[in-house]
Amino acid sequence: MASPERPGPLALPGVLTAEEAGATAAWIARQQRPDGAIPWFDGHHLDPWDHVEAAMALDTAGEHDRAAAAYDWLAKHQNPDGSWYAAYAAGDPRRPTDLGRESNFCAYPAVGVLHHYLTTGDEAFRRRMWPVVRAAVAFVLDLQREGGQLGWRRDAAGRPVPDALLTGSASGYQALRCALALAERAGDAQPDWEVATGRLGHAVAHHEELFLDKSRYSMDWYYPVLAGAVRGEAAALRLAARWDEFVVPGLGVRCVRENQWVTGGESAELALALWAVGQEERAVEVLRALGRLRTPDGRYWTGYVYADDAFWPVEHTTWTAGSVLLAVAALTGDPATTAVFGGHDLPAGLDPDCRCLATDS
């Protein structure tokens, strides 16, 4: 399978030039350890979700060997039950600092693996990573609850935590769809995954009562759209309903509704969600506001407290930079990025038999 060509450089007028995108990718690359691990920044911890986000960003910028090394790190350090720990000190696999194992952290590598495969067409990579994805999905689905939602995690003692998070379950839905696409390519049918994916997507789209109330966080607002569980008119209505609560014109997206603090990661993710439902102009407008967070060498501050005119926390994170590159890649038509975030050709799983479908709008 030949790797699809980008329609143009990784650049977006008013947001990033090609040179600026290259500088951001080069900064992410400098944070990567020789073993492939990508911590939040050099010396800080690694978590599997943000590690994958940074790896996907490297692929958008043509750093395919570095991205492959990031996925090989996951393969080498996967736990026997298919999971990864929630945090590793400085990206050192010998020093986990949070022995919990989170469902959405363990699901997200499926998104990155499919993204890398679609970017490179590397069949050897796909074959060696398929058992990794299969084992990770088994771990994740062991945490699925009766209503379809994903239990948040197993704690350090291995006990399942039944509480479910809407954002985490939405992210898990995107990941399961990518895992099903990989199963198709492997010729390894997974009918149980199809049922589980349908149940999960339905829970995210129609049953927010199943999840802990985190509605003060912007992620719970846009993530069901970003992950593909809510699309069409329902997505447009969802984004419009709380736009003024979370979006600060010219600055970006609040992380928490009541705090005067905008964050780069949430802003770039909202831009991806807007792109996914056809609101490209609004997506570009949100991304342009992130110029305030950018440093001359291509890093991004995590957030900005506009009430105090201060960057906070005092850190630059690979996942913030990565989310910006992914949003730019989607808006400029990168085939792999549009595939995993647009989701038009991803399997959606089987619709559950739920009586609420007759009354839901």
Side-chain angles (χ1 to χ4, degrees), residues 5-67:
E5 293 294 325
R6 283 188 56 83
L10 185 60
L12 188 62
V15 177
L16 283 181
T17 66
E19 292 76 15
E20 288 170 337
T24 295
W27 177 78
I28 295 173
R30 289 197 298 274
Q31 311 315 301
Q32 188 174 31
R33 288 165 45 107
D35 64 358
I38 308 176
W40 283 23
F41 48 86
D42 185 29
H44 198 59
H45 82 259
L46 173 151
D47 74 70
W49 198 101
D50 290 311
H51 170 84
V52 170
E53 188 86 340
M56 286 195 287
L58 289 173
D59 261 330
T60 68
E63 295 282 356
H64 305 314
D65 289 344
R66 286 188 172 274

Side-chain angles (χ1 to χ4, degrees), residues 3-334:
S3 173
E5 293 294 325
R6 283 188 56 83
L10 185 60
L12 188 62
V15 177
L16 283 181
T17 66
E19 292 76 15
E20 288 170 337
T24 295
W27 177 78
I28 295 173
R30 289 197 298 274
Q31 311 315 301
Q32 188 174 31
R33 288 165 45 107
D35 64 358
I38 308 176
W40 283 23
F41 48 86
D42 185 29
H44 198 59
H45 82 259
L46 173 151
D47 74 70
W49 198 101
D50 290 311
H51 170 84
V52 170
E53 188 86 340
M56 286 195 287
L58 289 173
D59 261 330
T60 68
E63 295 282 356
H64 305 314
D65 289 344
R66 286 188 172 274
Y71 297 118
D72 286 337
W73 185 94
L74 290 170
K76 185 175 181 180
H77 302 297
Q78 189 174 32
N79 293 322
D81 64 359
S83 70
W84 292 272
Y85 295 122
Y88 299 83
D92 186 343
R94 299 165 300 179
R95 294 193 292 148
T97 55
D98 183 346
L99 296 178
R101 290 157 288 159
E102 301 191 9
S103 54
N104 67 307
F105 282 12
C106 296
Y108 205 52
V111 181
V113 168
L114 180 61
H115 183 264
H116 182 76
Y117 171 67
L118 294 176
T119 299
T120 63
D122 187 341
E123 290 287 349
F125 169 84
R126 181 189 60 77
R127 288 192 295 270
R128 74 174 180 266
M129 290 302 298
W130 170 236
V132 177
V133 171
R134 189 172 54 203
V137 170
F139 171 83
V140 170
L141 291 185
D142 193 49
L143 289 167
Q144 189 168 35
R145 307 290 292 165
E146 183 178 352
Q149 72 275 33
L150 296 178
W152 174 33
R153 61 187 269 160
R154 287 190 179 275
D155 66 18
R159 295 181 297 259
V161 177
D163 293 332
L165 303 175
L166 180 59
T167 294
S169 284
S171 177
Y173 174 69
Q174 180 194 16
L176 288 178
R177 295 182 72 195
C178 291
L180 281 170
L182 289 165
E184 289 182 356
R185 286 162 173 79
D188 190 355
Q190 299 290 336
D192 290 346
W193 294 10
E194 293 182 27
V195 173
T197 301
R199 291 174 61 220
L200 176 58
H202 180 76
V204 170
H206 298 283
H207 290 289
E208 291 195 24
E209 76 278 2
L210 295 172
F211 303 95
L212 293 177
D213 182 5
K214 301 287 184 180
S215 57
R216 56 194 286 262
Y217 292 91
S218 61
M219 286 192 297
D220 268 20
W221 164 55
Y222 65 74
Y223 225 100
V225 177
L226 171 60
V230 178
R231 288 289 165 88
E233 183 181 359
L237 290 172
R238 184 182 184 92
L239 293 177
R242 305 189 70 190
W243 183 269
D244 292 337
E245 290 182 47
F246 289 116
V247 178
V248 184
L251 293 179
V253 178
R254 288 188 180 97
C255 176
V256 185
R257 178 183 55 216
E258 64 270 22
N259 292 351
Q260 295 180 317
W261 176 48
V262 294
T263 48
E266 279 81 355
S267 298
E269 287 180 340
L270 175 62
L272 266 174
L274 291 164
W275 161 80
V277 296
Q279 298 185 29
E280 291 90 351
E281 289 186 9
R282 268 192 157 178
V284 172
E285 181 182 345
V286 170
L287 286 176
R288 283 177 176 157
L290 297 185
R292 179 184 300 272
L293 298 180
R294 184 179 175 85
T295 68
D297 63 354
R299 296 171 290 165
Y300 282 84
W301 293 97
T302 298
Y304 173 68
V305 182
Y306 52 90
D308 300 330
D309 189 22
F311 296 111
W312 184 86
V314 184
E315 63 183 26
H316 307 98
T317 42
T318 52
W319 48 269
T320 298
S323 66
V324 174
L325 293 185
L326 285 169
V328 170
L331 280 156
T332 54
D334 176 63

